[in-house]
């Protein structure tokens, strides 16, 4: 019943998203509901950045200049450097071993070590004894068999999938879902009214998982603007939601300043010295 309920809980346009959601449902019943979205969004993130890295790695090897192990060569193209032990090709090899949970945790730790902007952000609960490693291996297999070789297209594809899963989690969790997710219709309405433009500074004082920023970038693109020419600032009090927001921006390639830790804007404004062109939020 749980799987059926979750599968039908969103009216979003789905395709690839549904395929990934069905894979996520394999985990249902094997972990506490509160941990479900943390685990799955972490896998979405790891698969995407690894695919983008491995594509760039192959290009650098082909060029023959010896820069394939230079993190700066990836940063120049807004690609996360992924150390050997965290690459999806290595994860896939270990999918059906008892150590898959530990290997995933170590992969997340290694990525954080090489990418300071992700420090303390990625989930590291895959080795939890309560998580069935056979089921986890099956989920890894589903991701392994998905073709994401076109990483420019996949950037949007994974972002859409991420949004879809967030919507599903919010629907299942009911009122609590509002802590990290504002319905797309509300977000689009706010953005369409304010019309954020290229070269401006956008701020959300209780940003949740960052939907306002994603939609602002979409709005700029739809109006022939440069999606990279926008400054994004936000703040979020809930630690897990703050982490989700940072992963969401990373998947989208959006450079965002959410402060170096979660914090309640009402009690400690991390951006009190800043000025912004657009302020948009869905108040609690």
């Amino acid at each position: 019943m749980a799987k059926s309920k979750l599968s039908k809980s969103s009216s979003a346009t789905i395709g690839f998203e549904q395929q990934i959601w069905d894979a996520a449902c394999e985990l249902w019943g094997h972990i506490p509901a509160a941990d479900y979205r943390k685990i799955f969004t972490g896998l979405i993130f790891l698969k995407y950045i690894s695919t983008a890295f491995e594509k760039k790695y192959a290009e650098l090897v082909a060029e023959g200049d010896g820069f394939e192990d230079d993190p700066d060569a990836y940063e120049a193209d807004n690609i996360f450097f992924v150390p050997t032990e965290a690459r999806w090709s290595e994860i896939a090899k270990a999918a059906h071993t008892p150590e898959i949970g530990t290997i995933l945790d170590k992969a997340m730790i290694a990525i954080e070590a090489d990418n300071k902007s992700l420090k303390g952000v990625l989930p590291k609960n895959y080795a939890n004894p309560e998580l069935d490693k056979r089921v986890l291996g099956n989920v890894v297999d589903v991701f392994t068999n998905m073709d994401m070789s076109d990483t420019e297209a996949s950037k949007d594809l994974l972002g859409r999938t991420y949004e879809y899963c967030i919507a599903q989690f919010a629907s299942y969790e009911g009122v609590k879902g509002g802590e990290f997710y504002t319905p797309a219709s509300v977000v689009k309405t706010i953005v369409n009214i304010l019309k954020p433009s290229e070269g401006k500074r956008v701020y959300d004082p209780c940003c949740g998982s960052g939907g306002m920023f994603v939609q602002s970038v979409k709005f700029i693109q739809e109006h022939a603007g440069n999606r990279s020419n926008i400054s994004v600032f936000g703040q979020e009090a809930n630690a897990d939601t703050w982490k989700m927001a940072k992963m969401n921006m990373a998947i989208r390639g959006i450079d965002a300043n959410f402060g170096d830790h979660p914090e309640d804007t009402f009690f400690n404004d991390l951006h009190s010295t800043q000025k912004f062109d657009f302020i948009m939020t869905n108040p609690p």
Side-chain angles (χ1 to χ4, degrees):
M1 287 299 293
K3 181 172 181 177
S4 176
K5 177 180 178 181
L6 288 167
S7 298
K8 297 176 181 178
S9 62
S10 173
S11 59
T13 300
I14 57 175
F16 186 80
E17 298 99 319
Q18 181 66 61
Q19 185 180 5
I20 289 187
W21 180 254
D22 287 343
C25 286
E26 289 201 35
L27 289 172
W28 199 253
H30 295 276
I31 58 174
D35 295 334
Y36 193 75
R37 58 186 169 91
K38 303 175 192 176
I39 287 179
F40 197 62
T41 51
L43 290 175
I44 291 175
F45 179 81
L46 179 59
K47 172 59 177 177
Y48 173 72
I49 67 167
S50 185
T51 299
F53 170 85
E54 290 180 349
K55 179 182 178 181
K56 182 65 177 180
Y57 182 89
E59 292 174 356
L60 291 171
V61 169
E63 290 172 4
D65 296 324
F67 293 127
E68 59 270 18
D69 293 317
D70 181 1
D72 291 340
Y74 300 87
E75 185 177 351
D77 288 342
N78 197 30
I79 294 172
F80 285 101
F81 181 83
V82 182
T84 302
E85 64 269 32
R87 296 170 193 173
W88 198 265
S89 55
E90 297 299 312
I91 302 298
K93 292 177 186 176
H96 295 287
T97 67
E99 296 78 27
I100 182 59
T102 300
I103 288 170
L104 281 168
D105 284 347
K106 289 182 177 179
M108 299 297 183
I109 292 170
I111 291 170
E112 287 189 354
D114 282 355
N115 298 279
K116 293 182 179 180
S117 65
L118 295 174
K119 184 178 179 180
V121 171
L122 304 182
K124 308 172 194 68
N125 52 351
Y126 298 97
N128 186 333
E130 296 180 3
L131 177 57
D132 188 323
K133 302 306 180 290
R134 177 187 58 81
V135 175
L136 181 58
N138 290 340
V139 174
V140 170
D141 282 347
V142 173
F143 279 102
T144 300
N145 293 328
M146 290 178 182
D147 181 11
M148 298 179 188
S149 55
D150 184 352
T151 52
E152 278 307 303
S154 295
K155 180 180 290 185
D156 185 60
L157 196 61
L158 264 293
R160 280 171 46 219
T161 303
Y162 188 92
E163 288 179 350
Y164 175 68
C165 288
I166 288 175
Q168 293 278 31
F169 294 132
S171 178
Y172 178 76
E173 294 183 21
V175 175
K176 290 184 178 180
E179 294 177 2
F180 61 89
Y181 176 78
T182 299
S185 58
V186 175
V187 175
K188 289 179 181 178
T189 298
I190 292 174
V191 171
N192 287 340
I193 289 173
L194 292 181
K195 297 180 172 57
S197 53
E198 184 179 350
K200 303 298 183 180
R201 293 159 65 88
V202 178
Y203 174 57
D204 183 345
C206 47
C207 66
S209 56
M212 295 289 182
F213 306 128
V214 172
Q215 189 59 39
S216 292
V217 169
K218 286 182 180 179
F219 184 89
I220 289 172
Q221 282 184 296
E222 290 168 357
H223 292 79
N226 180 355
R227 73 183 303 278
S228 299
N229 189 15
I230 181 175
S231 297
V232 167
F233 296 81
Q235 190 164 328
E236 173 55 43
N238 182 281
D240 288 336
T241 306
W242 180 80
K243 293 175 183 179
M244 288 179 68
K246 297 202 72 168
M247 284 190 284
N248 197 10
M249 297 302 102
I251 286 175
R252 292 289 191 172
I254 299 173
D255 187 17
N257 182 342
F258 294 155
D260 59 5
H261 63 280
E263 189 66 72
D264 189 324
T265 309
F266 292 118
F267 295 100
N268 184 13
D269 184 354
L270 299 179
H271 304 296
S272 60
T273 62
Q274 302 283 350
K275 292 185 177 180
F276 307 104
D277 300 292
F278 298 92
I279 299 176
M280 54 185 74
T281 192
N282 180 31

